Amino acid sequence: MTQDKSLAKGAPRADLGDRFFVQGGKYLFLGLLTLAVLLPLLAIFWRGFSGEAGQGGGLAAARELLASANFHWLLGNSLKVSLSVAAIVVPTAYLFAYALQRTLIPAKGLWRGISLLPLLAPSMLPGIALIYLFGNQGLLRGWLPENIYGFWGIVLGEAIYTFPHALMVLLSALAMADARLFDAAASMGAGPWKAFRSITWPATRQAAFAAFCLVFTLTITDFGVPVVVGGDYQVLALEAYKAVVGQQQFGRGALIGMVLLLPALLSFGVDAWLRRRQGEAMSGRAQVFHPAPSKVRDACFLALVLVVCAILLLVLGMAVYSSLVKFWPYNLSLSLRHYAFEETAGGGWLAYRNSLTLATCTALFGSALIFTGAYLMEKTRGQRWLTQALRLLSFVPMAVPGLVLGLGYVFFFNLPGNPLHALYGSMTLLVICSIAHFLTTAQMTATTALRQLDGEFEAAALSLKAPLWRHYLKVTVPICLPALLDIVRYLFVSAMTTVSAAIFLYSPDSILAAVAVLNMDDAGNVGGAAAMSTLILLTSAAVSLLLAGASRGLLRRSQAWRTH
């Protein structure tokens, strides 16, 4: 009888705790998304269309900008570069992904690791390496008939920067294949090429289009490569950067930011429409596809993989080597002179320490917030309108380039009447912006892992009167630990290398390593810029390896149930 009374008293207490955890958590997440995503975007439109003095200038200024010959020139340059990069990167990445997923080439893990190395460095690193390779005093200057500064410099730099992003999308698509379809095609006499056209390409063309849109958007909104090797060839993203940072023309920056938002929104909308049309690619009874041996096919694809990896290693290796050369090209002896950051302008070791702080805080706080938010949306019931609003706001950052998001933060948090104005220029705001910028990809990773869990887990917790928050911490988090660690690694590396959003938000005390690369390059200290880029690359790689190694022991203990 006493036990029954205690249960009766405990049940309302558990219900109250669950309501606080679910409803309070959802409203808190909604407030944070509104503050970190929605309001900064609205601030861009307000600043761009405001007719007040000192603001955007209203519709008249927008019409004047869109009708100007300079804008048409910038837009044409941006479209030409972005389309060229996408036309080069997507087919190459598709063939590379096909080699890793659908052939029997050796050392696939090694090639995959090399191909993803540009993800660990800021976008300026390929541009810096190209200067040392093909610049006026470059190692391979005679290989190019023209100067590297300009259109081809931007295209080559952006191609190296965006290649791993496209590759990840295509690897995921080509990883899914039903062996039964290929067996049926072979039994009907279809050769490899016909099987590709009738089975592989229809199943992966949506991913190829998504990769094209991703590369196009990353290129048209990036100013890191153009600022290093663009020369006189100007693009819209660089114009927005110069308008805000160099000329303090915030209205012009807002208008260009809205223009740069359009291709991302269009790509996102078309991609979502194609996803709905395509539906599920595989059924639950699909059989794993194992490619058949083919010496000619594997030799051709291995040659392609070797060429691509050699180019990536040449570019990244050149950046590392140039950071160690004493005085290029007159004194090629090795020295750590360029790593004496305190003796040069640009931010010094403070910038590197700040980036470590930003990446660590973004990874820890961001992963906890994003994973908890995904759990509340996927595994709890009630308040359907609130859940739908959270899902919509969580997908917005995917369609917003970092440059545009950073501009929104300037316009919203730098308002004198905003009570949050004190955050402007602080590390706290940089952490908030980084989490918001990379939220969607991390959220999709968490959602994918959570949807694999049976709903009976939560039902069992409710039947046992166990608080939902305790079940979340004791059951859900350990089961989903692999996905959670992937989110931590992704957020750390992304925050360590980001420059597009953070370029507008730092102060002298919160300057970041990637921003210091830009400052040193502007000051003519290309060796110092290469050294800081190398430091970012090595740090991202070391932390990724440490996380992967440390997680094995944790996973072995927390995931032991999977092996029984």
Side-chain angles (χ1 to χ4, degrees):
M1 188 71 177
T2 306
Q3 186 179 6
D4 292 340
K5 289 182 178 179
S6 65
L7 285 175
K9 292 179 180 178
R13 194 173 300 170
D15 291 342
L16 182 62
D18 285 350
R19 284 201 298 272
F20 180 78
F21 173 59
V22 175
Q23 297 181 14
K26 285 184 178 181
Y27 278 112
L28 175 63
F29 198 47
L30 178 65
L32 292 175
L33 286 174
T34 302
L35 180 68
V37 177
L38 183 60
L39 292 178
L41 290 180
L42 293 177
I44 286 186
F45 289 94
W46 170 78
R47 177 62 70 100
F49 290 124
S50 174
E52 299 178 15
Q55 304 300 330
L59 293 176
R63 284 194 296 268
E64 182 181 351
L65 173 69
L66 296 177
S68 66
N70 182 63
F71 175 80
H72 294 162
W73 176 66
L74 292 170
L75 179 62
N77 288 350
S78 295
L79 291 175
K80 186 179 177 183
V81 166
S82 301
L83 290 172
S84 299
V85 172
I88 293 171
V89 168
V90 175
T92 307
Y94 191 97
L95 293 174
F96 198 102
Y98 192 92
L100 294 181
Q101 299 288 12
R102 302 291 179 90
T103 71
L104 297 175
I105 63 172
K108 290 182 179 180
L110 175 63
W111 311 133
R112 182 187 175 110
I114 293 174
S115 67
L116 297 179
L117 280 177
L119 290 174
L120 306 179
S123 63
M124 293 81 71
L125 185 138
I128 293 170
L130 288 173
I131 291 177
Y132 282 101
L133 284 170
F134 304 109
N136 294 329
Q137 297 175 324
L139 193 66
L140 306 176
R141 175 66 183 90
W143 287 25
L144 292 183
E146 298 180 4
N147 200 304
I148 190 64
Y149 298 98
F151 172 78
W152 284 111
I154 300 175
V155 169
L156 291 175
E158 295 288 5
I160 294 167
Y161 166 59
T162 58
F163 176 79
H165 294 84
L167 181 64
M168 288 193 299
V169 174
L170 296 168
L171 280 173
S172 300
L174 286 164
M176 297 185 296
D178 191 348
R180 298 175 301 169
L181 296 177
F182 291 90
D183 292 340
S187 66
M188 297 175 64
W193 174 241
K194 187 170 179 69
F196 172 82
R197 287 188 294 123
S198 58
I199 301 173
T200 303
W201 175 245
T204 57
R205 60 189 174 192
Q206 188 274 331
F209 178 79
F212 186 95
C213 293
L214 177 62
V215 171
F216 182 88
T217 303
L218 286 173
T219 303
I220 203 171
T221 58
D222 176 63
F223 61 87
V225 174
V227 81
V228 175
V229 292
D232 295 331
Y233 197 89
Q234 303 293 302
V235 292
L236 275 176
L238 187 57
E239 180 68 16
Y241 165 68
K242 292 193 300 183
V244 174
V245 175
Q247 304 163 3
Q248 299 294 302
Q249 295 181 357
F250 295 107
R252 182 177 177 85
L255 291 172
I256 296 176
M258 287 189 288
V259 173
L260 292 174
L261 187 60
L262 292 177
L265 290 174
L266 179 63
S267 300
F268 180 75
V270 175
D271 181 56
W273 177 69
L274 287 176
R275 284 180 187 274
R276 284 198 302 269
R277 288 196 63 188
Q278 184 170 1
E280 297 296 329
M282 291 181 66
S283 69
R285 292 177 293 177
Q287 298 177 6
V288 179
F289 172 74
H290 297 287
S294 174
K295 289 184 179 181
V296 175
R297 179 203 64 195
D298 293 347
C300 293
F301 276 102
L302 181 60
L304 169 74
V305 167
L306 288 174
V307 169
V308 173
C309 289
I311 293 173
L312 294 178
L313 287 176
L314 174 65
V315 171
L316 298 175
M318 193 64 208
V320 176
Y321 173 67
S322 62
S323 71
L324 298 171
V325 169
K326 200 164 189 178
F327 187 57
W328 184 276
Y330 306 105
N331 186 352
L332 299 182
S333 60
L334 300 183
S335 167
L336 294 176
R337 173 174 167 263
H338 295 303
Y339 289 86
F341 297 125
E342 297 298 348
E343 300 177 6
T344 61
W349 286 102
L350 172 65
Y352 177 69
R353 291 194 295 269
N354 284 340
S355 282
L356 281 179
T357 302
L358 171 66
T360 303
C361 293
T362 300
L364 295 180
F365 294 120
S367 58
L369 176 68
I370 292 169
F371 191 82
T372 304
Y375 175 81
L376 294 175
M377 283 186 277
E378 295 298 326
K379 294 297 182 181
T380 61
R381 297 180 180 180
Q383 298 176 302
R384 185 176 178 183
W385 68 270
L386 182 56
T387 301
Q388 294 299 327
L390 289 174
R391 283 182 176 152
L392 177 62
L393 283 176
S394 297
F395 272 95
V396 168
M398 178 179 283
V400 180
L403 179 70
V404 178
L405 186 65
L407 284 171
Y409 271 61
V410 173
F411 302 144
F412 177 69
F413 286 96
N414 202 27
L415 286 174
N418 190 338
L420 299 173
H421 174 71
L423 290 175
Y424 189 76
S426 68
M427 183 61 66
T428 302
L429 187 61
L430 285 168
V431 172
I432 294 172
C433 182
S434 297
I435 294 174
H437 185 196
F438 306 114
L439 182 142
T440 305
T441 301
Q443 166 111 11
M444 291 171 68
T445 303
T447 299
T448 301
L450 288 166
R451 285 179 177 174
Q452 294 176 354
L453 300 182
D454 198 321
E456 295 299 323
F457 282 107
E458 283 71 28
L462 291 174
S463 66
L464 294 172
K465 306 298 183 186
L468 197 60
W469 62 268
R470 183 178 297 171
H471 168 268
Y472 166 69
L473 293 175
K474 295 293 182 67
V475 179
T476 305
V477 170
I479 291 176
C480 296
L481 193 57
L484 187 56
L485 290 172
D486 285 342
I487 293 171
V488 171
R489 183 163 56 246
Y490 166 74
L491 290 177
F492 183 93
V493 171
S494 299
M496 194 74 195
T497 59
T498 186
V499 66
S500 57
I503 190 68
F504 304 115
L505 305 178
Y506 71 93
S507 67
D509 294 328
S510 60
I511 186 172
L512 302 176
V515 176
V517 173
L518 274 179
N519 292 343
M520 285 188 280
D521 182 75
D522 286 341
N525 184 11
V526 185
M532 186 66 83
S533 297
T534 300
L535 203 55
I536 295 172
L537 171 67
L538 295 178
T539 302
S540 300
V543 170
S544 297
L545 291 174
L546 284 174
L547 276 173
S551 66
R552 288 185 180 178
L554 293 172
L555 294 177
R556 199 173 294 117
R557 288 187 306 185
S558 63
Q559 306 290 306
W561 62 276
R562 291 181 184 266
T563 61
H564 297 292

